[in-house]
Amino acid sequence: MSNLEPLQNDDLPPEDEPQGDVSAVRAQLESRCAAAKIPIEETEGYEPDQQVVRIGMPSGRDRRWIYCWDYGDYQKLLSIPFEQLVFLQGLEAICNYSISTIEVGIRTLGAPSSRLLFSRLFKVAVSDSPEPDQIPRLELPSPLSEGKTKLVLGTPSTELSTLVRGMRPRLSLSIISEGINQHDKALELVKRASDALFFQIDLLHEIPLTLVRERRSVARRRRTARAETPPDVTFPSHEYDPAPVSLYWYGRSAIGMPLLQYLAFYQVIEYYFPTYSQADARRKLKAILKDPGFRGDRDADLGRLLSAIHVSRSGAFGDERSQLRATLLECIEPELLHQFIASDPARSDFLSSKAKGLCEQKIPVANPTADLRGDVAERIYEIRCKIVHTKTDAKNSEFELLLPFSREAEQLAHDIELVQFVAQQVLISASIPFRA
């Protein structure tokens, strides 16, 4: 499977599925895929000599691969009109252009009980583990379109349950609207309608709902195994400032929320800007004052001094970009930084190339003698600005906004590892001996 995408956990073979003539149902599936021009191919499974068949369903400009492990999988797939369905990219959602219908899985944020969820939304009493036939449909026709546009909350259809294997959302949102015939417009309609409906439900019932997002392999990337066995845990020799270490633990706990993770680790570094920017300011002042041509009675020379000791609101010296750079220069050894980035080939490749829509600043890892601290500071700052949408420079130009749940946000894994590593080194540099 080296040239194919990795199987996800939810693509593992099911247990205790009914068995039959696999060759017959596979032939039916191949025939239907050929007629619909849907790619179907065989790939390796997890067991020796195990073969798995997958079909490539349209998903925007890409394809979503659906796996068939056994007779039951073939039967389920053959029982639905999969040829008429396309996925909406980034969501566990399907669209049928022939009947102008979109359906997307939804879930609650937090863990309200089924009894509370369905009693509030559908005004019915159900058990904590309701059967699908216990859940009614909530139909919401638009008063402006004479019923031509309608939102429906209810149990996921057979089509969605078959294609979105492993997720099994308790609810789905269906959108029926004339003229649904193009992927990007369908995706835009889903986001507009769900945001408006879910916000209303949250205001009325205090139940936060969200769309079920597509699970991409980049978000489930395995960490590289350590080259050496870590040393034994001992009594701590150093302690850390409570505020930044609290931010560090917040970043470590924000799993699945890449923008929050990134900003939390950035704030760990930012906490020490006043401390480490002073050292940089002192170096600049010494260089200016040692200049034989410096004159204290000349306005231009005094201006150089004022620029060097510009104090921000936080008490740090210089603008935020220079404060970040100064902190990295003070806290991180160049060799250690290079070793961290180069230790993972996937991380090294990603950080050394432009990530479209995410970051323009590349880190020249291929040069073993390069001091990467300046490049790393620029990359961290660029992504931070895209998250908070601040000005890039004095020309009032702005970074493009980096949105939650976007493809770019899901590409942040390696950059989160980088800013986490920097935060760790800054905490270590600022630590003091443990007071027993």
Side-chain angles (χ1 to χ4, degrees):
M1 281 183 56
S2 59
N3 61 334
L4 302 175
E5 65 177 22
L7 296 176
Q8 300 293 330
N9 291 339
D10 297 319
D11 296 320
L12 290 174
E15 297 179 359
D16 302 324
E17 291 287 353
Q19 298 301 310
D21 188 353
V22 174
S23 60
V25 289
R26 174 172 172 171
Q28 293 180 46
L29 182 63
E30 290 174 343
S31 176
R32 287 175 58 174
C33 286
K37 298 182 179 179
I38 294 175
I40 180 170
E41 59 189 32
E42 191 173 89
T43 183
E44 297 176 4
Y46 281 100
E47 301 297 329
D49 301 323
Q50 181 184 35
Q51 296 300 315
V52 181
V53 168
R54 66 178 192 168
I55 69 171
M57 301 279 292
S59 178
R61 297 170 183 83
D62 298 325
R63 292 199 176 272
R64 189 88 62 92
W65 294 95
I66 307 300
Y67 291 82
C68 290
W69 292 87
D70 58 19
Y71 180 79
D73 290 340
Y74 287 108
Q75 272 196 321
K76 291 174 184 177
L77 201 52
L78 290 170
S79 70
I80 64 172
F82 65 86
E83 303 94 328
Q84 301 174 19
L85 305 174
V86 300
F87 280 97
L88 295 187
Q89 199 169 48
L91 296 174
E92 298 294 13
I94 54 175
C95 185
N96 190 331
Y97 296 142
S98 65
I99 56 174
S100 298
T101 300
I102 306 166
E103 185 181 12
V104 56
I106 62 177
R107 64 179 179 86
T108 56
L109 296 171
S113 68
S114 296
R115 184 178 301 174
L116 175 65
L117 175 65
F118 295 117
S119 65
R120 289 189 178 182
L121 281 182
F122 300 104
K123 310 297 184 185
V124 295
V126 298
S127 65
D128 284 333
S129 300
E131 296 297 326
D133 57 5
Q134 291 182 282
I135 304 171
R137 285 161 57 91
L138 179 61
E139 298 192 3
L140 306 169
S142 168
L144 303 177
S145 63
E146 299 179 351
K148 294 179 180 179
T149 298
K150 181 167 59 176
L151 305 181
V152 181
L153 285 170
T155 304
S157 67
T158 303
E159 289 82 358
L160 185 66
S161 298
T162 298
L163 295 175
V164 183
R165 181 177 171 186
M167 287 302 296
R168 311 190 196 285
R170 288 184 289 176
L171 286 175
S172 73
L173 170 66
S174 295
I175 303 174
I176 299 96
S177 181
E178 289 186 357
I180 297 176
N181 56 14
Q182 199 270 338
H183 174 272
D184 290 352
K185 290 182 179 179
L187 188 59
E188 187 263 344
L189 175 60
V190 167
K191 291 180 177 179
R192 284 195 298 109
S194 62
D195 283 341
L197 178 63
F198 294 170
F199 188 63
Q200 178 191 164
I201 290 172
D202 192 33
L203 291 177
L204 295 177
H205 301 296
E206 297 184 0
I207 297 177
L209 298 173
T210 187
L211 303 175
V212 178
R213 309 286 164 178
E214 177 188 356
R215 295 149 298 151
R216 298 193 179 107
S217 58
V218 66
R220 302 165 76 96
R221 191 183 67 82
R222 293 180 180 177
R223 288 186 176 272
T224 304
R226 292 177 181 267
E228 300 177 358
T229 302
D232 293 336
V233 175
T234 62
F235 190 88
S237 59
H238 288 77
E239 61 182 83
Y240 310 94
D241 292 315
V245 84
S246 178
L247 288 167
Y248 177 81
W249 289 125
Y250 180 64
R252 291 293 280 152
S253 68
I255 304 300
M257 295 179 284
L259 303 189
L260 280 179
Q261 272 194 300
Y262 194 94
L263 283 181
F265 292 133
Y266 182 87
Q267 287 179 303
V268 173
I269 307 167
E270 186 180 35
Y271 182 87
Y272 292 102
F273 282 0
T275 300
Y276 295 112
S277 63
Q278 290 180 12
D280 187 52
R282 284 194 295 269
R283 280 194 295 269
K284 291 179 180 178
L285 288 175
K286 285 181 180 179
I288 294 172
L289 293 174
K290 288 180 179 179
D291 184 353
F294 176 80
R295 289 179 52 182
D297 60 345
R298 188 159 53 193
D299 288 344
D301 289 346
L302 293 176
R304 289 170 61 197
L305 280 178
L306 290 174
S307 296
I309 61 173
H310 167 72
V311 181
S312 67
R313 292 181 181 179
S314 65
F317 292 86
D319 60 18
E320 187 161 350
R321 178 186 275 110
S322 64
Q323 293 168 33
L324 174 60
R325 184 186 180 93
T327 302
L328 265 66
L329 290 174
E330 289 292 324
C331 297
I332 300 180
E333 293 296 327
E335 296 81 5
L336 187 62
L337 180 60
H338 195 286
Q339 180 184 359
F340 169 77
I341 297 174
S343 64
D344 184 337
R347 179 194 300 143
S348 177
D349 291 344
F350 185 84
L351 296 179
S352 61
S353 59
K354 289 184 180 179
K356 186 177 180 181
L358 177 62
C359 187
E360 295 293 318
Q361 177 66 45
K362 298 186 292 184
I363 300 176
V365 188
N367 184 353
T369 62
D371 186 342
L372 305 180
R373 292 177 295 181
D375 298 288
V376 167
E378 286 295 322
R379 187 178 180 98
I380 289 175
Y381 182 73
E382 181 182 342
I383 294 176
R384 173 263 179 197
C385 288
K386 284 195 172 186
I387 294 175
V388 300
H389 207 213
T390 60
K391 303 290 176 59
T392 59
D393 50 33
K395 297 179 181 178
N396 293 327
S397 59
E398 292 185 342
F399 285 117
E400 184 180 352
L401 185 63
L402 186 59
L403 294 171
F405 309 119
S406 64
R407 178 180 288 271
E408 291 76 20
E410 292 187 2
Q411 293 178 331
L412 273 174
H414 293 300
D415 283 287
I416 289 173
E417 291 172 348
L418 177 62
V419 73
Q420 177 185 330
F421 171 79
V422 172
Q424 290 170 341
Q425 298 307 308
V426 172
L427 282 170
I428 292 170
S429 179
S431 65
I432 60 173
F434 187 85
R435 295 166 293 176

